[in-house]
Amino acid sequence: MSIRNAIASVAVRDLKVASLWYERLFGRAADSRPMLEVAEWKFEGGGWLQVYQLPERAGKGSVTLAVSNLKQQIGDLKKFGINAGDPVRNANVNVIMVKDPDGNSIAFAEAIDPSGAT
């Protein structure tokens, strides 16, 4: 198999509105705008999140973002005015979930044993 990486994607109604929200969420502008209806953010572990305008599919997606410090992530979200609620914890992972303006689910997950996650 020659797969080298993965790109997660979520559909939104209005890319301009969604891009502003994701810029706040990630603290930076998109790394790439390969097409008029697409914005992409690259992460240090090699993955990408692609946000694209397709109103008929908007709000039906989900993506999980791996983080190294969930407590810090919760604090960052609060600074942006995004309430993440209480983390869900189990033996393997701690997770919080937020929704983007279109209703897509964005999970932030911190592995208990970092050797098992990238």
Side-chain angles (χ1 to χ4, degrees):
M1 199 178 257
S2 62
I3 298 170
R4 296 182 19 221
N5 207 336
I7 299 173
S9 62
V10 292
V12 297
R13 286 176 185 73
D14 182 320
L15 184 62
K16 186 175 182 177
V17 170
S19 290
L20 292 172
W21 188 85
Y22 281 93
E23 286 174 7
R24 277 191 15 235
L25 184 69
F26 298 136
R28 60 190 168 92
D31 296 301
S32 175
R33 297 295 300 259
M35 295 178 263
L36 288 175
E37 64 279 353
V38 177
E40 299 175 328
W41 283 264
K42 184 177 183 180
F43 303 103
E44 67 183 61
W48 289 75
L49 176 65
Q50 186 178 71
V51 177
Y52 64 98
Q53 185 169 304
L54 189 61
E56 60 269 23
R57 289 192 54 209
K60 296 180 174 94
S62 66
V63 63
T64 300
L65 304 172
V67 298
S68 58
N69 186 323
L70 192 62
K71 185 176 179 179
Q72 179 182 345
Q73 185 64 52
I74 292 168
D76 290 345
L77 291 169
K78 284 182 183 176
K79 287 183 216 170
F80 303 139
I82 300 169
N83 182 6
D86 294 325
V88 174
R89 301 177 188 280
N90 68 38
N92 299 312
V93 67
N94 297 323
V95 180
I96 55 171
M97 182 79 69
V98 300
K99 299 275 188 176
D100 76 5
D102 288 302
N104 292 301
S105 297
I106 313 297
F108 294 88
E110 175 187 32
I112 302 302
D113 177 4
S115 67
T118 54

